[in-house]
Amino acid sequence: MRKAKRDKKLYLIPGIPISMVVSLFIWTKMSPVPNAFLIKYVFDKDTTTVGKEQLKSLTEDLAVTIQSDLPYRKEGKNSTFDIYIPNEVIGTNRQLPLLIWTHGGAWVSGDKAQMTGYYQKIANQGFVVASLNYDLAPQEKYPYQVFQINDAHQYLIKHAKEFHIHPEKIILMGSSAGAQLSAEFATIITNSAYAQKIGIDPALKPNQLKGTVLYSGIYNMQKLASSQAISSKLIRWGFSTAAWAYSGEKGHTNDNLFQASPIHYVNEKFPPTFISGGNGDSLTKLQSIPFSEKLQDLDVDVTSRFYPDDHDPILKHENQYVFSEDGQALFQEMIDFLTIYTKNKSRINIKNS
């Protein structure tokens, strides 16, 4: 009778050979891919849950028509957008201000439809909202997404009448990584030297851009990659991994990280800006407040909503999606800002804090 062969593999974790664990460890040191997939899983799970809750609680009785999965160019796996149009203008020649939302997700995750309830709620206030998809890192690296989103801007302007868009009343909006991309585009549009440095001809012109709305954003990519001011090792790991995946280079000193940091290139022509971050979000003190201060030093019109450290409840990353009492107040402040800068209303109910 033949004796069964003895398994000579060594196991660090039951069922997983130690050789596989070692190989995975080496891979994580040489490539951002495995860790980026982990970050993507965590982000997508969290935002999808929030998105479903939003869809139920925010969209009742809203008179908004949604057109989904529209392509804005042939290249790219995720070159699509959803558009939200108030029913009141459908069948008319009326044109409304366009709000272009770029989603977050650390550049490695996220989707244009995850917060669909939020976009519907904004559109119901009298705006056309376009929510963009773009190809994610590390499969595509900076500045690929910049050129891709520029094509989306171009498509929307080209089809302005079809979508009831006023082509000279545009706001760029976003949260987290989407705030970084929106701030970078506003800088590209208002700083021709910066646009030339990247090698891009912006589809939107300064006279078309009326403002930006930036939540929980990143504006200094090198600080994100080093993030020594953050006490949590897990958060530092996540920040540095995301920066590596997006920029294509490990470490915090590479040229792509510097170039993707709008804080280095903004000037006095940057548009009026609404900027906010929660008191429980480590990015607020690291990124949002310094960027707000930089814009104010340039005499840019800034409307900020930040919270004291002891604010209760603690408001975490992307707190604008949580419609507590604070969330509702924040939403109304944003709508006031949008109304002022796109509909020529008087400046009321806007608080700088």
Side-chain angles (χ1 to χ4, degrees), residues 139-158:
Q139 286 74 26
E140 296 293 350
K141 300 175 180 62
Y142 179 85
Y144 180 90
Q145 292 84 353
V146 176
F147 288 88
Q148 185 179 19
I149 293 173
N150 192 53
D151 285 347
H153 293 174
Q154 184 177 49
Y155 183 92
L156 288 165
I157 294 302
K158 184 177 180 180

Side-chain angles (χ1 to χ4, degrees), residues 21-36 38 237 241 244 250:
V21 175
V22 172
S23 296
L24 180 60
F25 177 78
I26 294 173
W27 189 22
T28 62
K29 294 298 181 182
M30 299 183 66
S31 169
V33 171
N35 289 335
L38 178 59
W237 165 83
T241 298
W244 180 12
K250 193 174 184 178

Side-chain angles (χ1 to χ4, degrees), residues 227-248:
S227 59
Q228 294 303 312
I230 304 301
S231 58
S232 170
K233 291 182 179 180
L234 181 61
I235 294 177
R236 289 206 306 268
W237 165 83
F239 285 171
S240 60
T241 298
W244 180 12
Y246 186 52
S247 70

Side-chain angles (χ1 to χ4, degrees), residues 88-107:
E88 62 181 286
V89 300
I90 294 177
T92 74
N93 293 323
R94 288 180 57 194
Q95 295 174 304
L96 297 175
L98 171 64
L99 315 180
I100 302 177
W101 186 278
T102 305
H103 71 76
W107 306 279

